[in-house]
Amino acid sequence: MHDELSEQAKTICARHYNFKSRSSCLPCPLISECHKPCQAHTQEALSSWRERINRLAAQQ
């Protein structure tokens, strides 16, 4: 399991997300996983989400 987002994922997010307006995610290639609702709010669910985001970022 991953404890944090990969550097690739962070770079992609920084390129597409505007922290001031909290917008512009639409063209982001990670949006399909990033915006998926979480079934359970647990550490395991968060780790699984990070793993999916990191995997998707590695494919870019």
Side-chain angles (χ1 to χ4, degrees):
M1 293 286 193
H2 293 279
D3 290 336
E4 62 181 56
L5 292 175
S6 67
E7 288 304 314
Q8 289 171 307
K10 290 176 187 178
T11 299
I12 291 170
C13 186
R15 197 175 332 143
H16 293 279
Y17 186 72
N18 181 327
F19 289 98
K20 289 185 180 181
S21 66
R22 297 182 181 186
S23 63
S24 72
C25 286
L26 194 55
C28 183
L30 305 180
I31 197 170
S32 63
E33 284 299 329
C34 189
H35 287 209
K36 228 180 228 183
C38 184
Q39 296 295 331
H41 298 284
T42 63
Q43 188 60 45
E44 291 81 17
L46 181 58
S47 292
S48 178
W49 174 82
R50 287 180 183 141
E51 187 175 323
R52 291 190 311 273
I53 294 294
N54 289 342
R55 192 176 328 121
L56 189 57
Q59 296 171 359
Q60 302 303 309

